[in-house]
Amino acid sequence: MKGVILHGGRGTRLRPLTHTGPKQLIPIANKPMSQYALEDLREAGIEDIAIILGSVAPEKVVEYYGDGSEFDVKVTYIRQGEPRGIAQAIGLAREFVRDEPFVVYLGDNLLKDGIRELVEDFRGSNAEAQIALSHVKNPEAFGVAELDSGGKVIRLVEKPKVPQSDLALVGVYMFRRSIFDAIDALKPSWRDELEITEAVQRLIDMGLTVRSHVVSGWWKDTGIPEDILEANQLVLSDLSHLNRGKLADDVKVTGKIAVGEGTVIRTKCTLRGPLIIGRNCDIGPSTYVGPYTSVGDNVVIKGGEIENSIVLNDTIIECEKRIVDSLVGKGSRVFSNETNIPRACKLIIGENTIVSL
């Protein structure tokens, strides 16, 4: 089997972070979210992977993943350019997959338990397609599947006003070559996109078998800043304690923390996990870094408090404020312009931004 990771889309709901890079490279627990997809494919035994590049800084994706050898896979790049829908992006992989079955993984989705079980189920079946599903509280916001008593998919509807089930399509699909004929027959939807739900529905209408697999564990689709922070929380909840940095003797540590090589945690700091701090950072003195925070590499944080936030590489925070629920873009600087008793601040800022609080 081969793998296809979709790395396109404009990520408009995550601006300004996506003005300068694709949303799939936004880190979750200090790892780009699309890397979780790549690693899930690799753990399922799929090492030949195509990445479908979008129009937002595709060169950053190529720079990060290279030929894939650093991740023990082989990576091929296919350029989509302007997004015209998931089905259109999948159609671009026709020559890459040839006659092999393949897995499509949306690069902005995360699954707690990976896809090994799903892949094994599909390999052992004669189905033309298999879709991953998850029970959700708001099915009207997703593509929704209706199943028969045996778990066979009988109908798919994109964002139904009156959902017939609570089973949403997870961003993982498994196909054989017949999906390309279904895509060729599609017409653009009201969104001017080729919808994958319509392509899979066409397989069903042709009398072909489409299987379903309801995933265990959590699934997160990261479309808005709150989703990114929640995904960060979910991943950090399984964090293993690891310290490769240098902590002052009086640093207070509670919960699981991971500190990267070359990082210095200075006197009178408090670290409360789960949290992760990258390499070559300088934290403190008298700084509080609280639960569910991910701090990238080469970050300086002096004073103040921060929790439930993601701070990207090369950022400087010299601020006596309390920062919560925030995404701070790469290379930004946040500093205080007064010393009054602080109030909590929430920030969503892109790369190379300067903020005075």
Side-chain angles (χ1 to χ4, degrees):
M1 292 183 74
K2 292 188 175 183
V4 177
I5 297 175
L6 301 193
H7 220 287
R10 297 187 181 93
T12 54
R13 294 182 296 169
L14 286 168
R15 289 175 179 170
L17 290 170
T18 51
H19 280 309
T20 52
K23 64 178 177 179
Q24 296 89 348
L25 288 186
I26 295 174
I28 304 294
N30 285 2
K31 185 189 300 184
M33 64 178 80
S34 57
Q35 187 175 333
Y36 292 94
L38 184 144
E39 291 175 353
D40 281 353
L41 289 167
R42 185 189 64 206
E43 294 304 313
I46 299 170
E47 299 176 353
D48 196 357
I49 299 169
I51 297 179
I52 310 295
L53 299 171
S55 59
V56 180
E59 69 281 358
K60 291 188 176 182
V61 184
V62 177
E63 179 183 1
Y64 185 80
Y65 289 110
D67 64 1
S69 57
E70 184 178 341
F71 304 92
D72 297 320
V73 298
K74 177 184 176 182
V75 172
T76 299
Y77 296 100
I78 300 172
R79 294 185 179 272
Q80 179 187 19
E82 289 300 313
R84 297 261 334 275
I86 292 174
Q88 184 256 350
I90 294 171
L92 297 174
R94 187 190 311 250
E95 295 305 315
F96 169 74
V97 301
R98 297 187 181 275
D99 293 323
E100 291 190 47
F102 62 103
V103 178
V104 175
Y105 205 134
L106 274 59
D108 58 354
N109 279 234
L110 287 87
L111 285 169
K112 174 179 172 57
D113 295 327
I115 62 170
R116 180 187 292 272
E117 185 178 350
L118 284 76
V119 170
E120 291 176 352
D121 283 352
F122 187 61
R123 277 180 171 147
S125 77
N126 61 356
E128 287 298 308
Q130 179 172 282
I131 58 175
L133 303 172
S134 179
H135 293 283
V136 296
K137 295 180 180 179
N138 56 332
E140 65 278 0
F142 301 93
V144 174
E146 298 177 32
L147 311 180
D148 66 14
S149 58
K152 182 179 176 181
V153 182
I154 57 176
R155 187 167 178 250
L156 296 176
V157 182
E158 185 67 29
K159 295 180 175 62
K161 293 182 179 180
V162 183
Q164 297 302 305
S165 82
D166 67 345
L167 290 170
L169 275 75
V170 172
V172 177
Y173 307 84
M174 294 164 201
F175 296 119
R176 303 191 196 278
R177 192 169 178 83
S178 56
I179 190 62
F180 296 117
D181 293 332
I183 291 172
D184 288 343
L186 293 179
K187 294 182 179 180
S189 68
W190 63 271
R191 299 191 296 180
D192 197 30
E193 295 184 355
L194 300 184
E195 306 286 356
I196 189 58
T197 48
E198 293 183 14
V200 177
Q201 183 65 50
R202 186 169 291 274
L203 295 179
I204 297 170
D205 295 342
M206 293 166 60
L208 302 175
T209 299
V210 176
R211 289 166 50 94
S212 65
H213 184 112
V214 180
V215 301
S216 59
W218 54 258
W219 157 63
K220 194 63 190 171
D221 177 15
T222 53
I224 58 176
E226 290 78 8
D227 292 332
I228 299 286
L229 292 172
E230 184 178 351
N232 193 58
Q233 293 171 12
L234 291 167
V235 174
L236 287 179
S237 293
D238 294 326
L239 184 72
S240 298
H241 188 87
L242 176 67
N243 177 26
R244 292 178 174 168
K246 182 178 180 181
L247 277 64
D249 291 339
D250 62 350
V251 172
K252 296 180 181 179
V253 176
T254 58
K256 294 181 179 179
I257 68 168
V259 179
E261 186 175 354
T263 287
V264 177
I265 312 296
R266 301 189 182 276
T267 185
K268 297 182 180 179
C269 285
T270 298
L271 306 181
R272 183 173 296 169
L275 70 88
I276 184 170
I277 300 174
R279 297 169 295 179
N280 302 316
C281 296
D282 188 346
I283 310 298
S286 302
T287 299
Y288 168 80
V289 185
Y292 302 112
T293 298
S294 293
V295 178
D297 297 336
N298 308 308
V299 171
V300 175
I301 303 178
K302 293 184 178 180
E305 304 177 359
I306 184 169
E307 64 179 34
N308 193 41
S309 296
I310 297 175
V311 180
L312 276 67
N313 296 351
D314 306 315
T315 289
I316 298 174
I317 299 177
E318 297 177 292
C319 179
E320 297 302 321
K321 303 287 188 179
R322 176 174 170 83
I323 298 172
V324 298
D325 305 336
S326 297
L327 298 175
V328 182
K330 179 180 178 182
S332 295
R333 183 182 176 194
V334 180
F335 63 96
S336 297
N337 62 4
E338 45 87 1
T339 58
N340 294 334
I341 297 174
R343 295 180 179 180
C345 301
K346 179 177 179 179
L347 306 171
I348 307 295
I349 60 178
E351 290 187 14
N352 302 312
T353 301
I354 297 176
V355 176
S356 174
L357 299 173

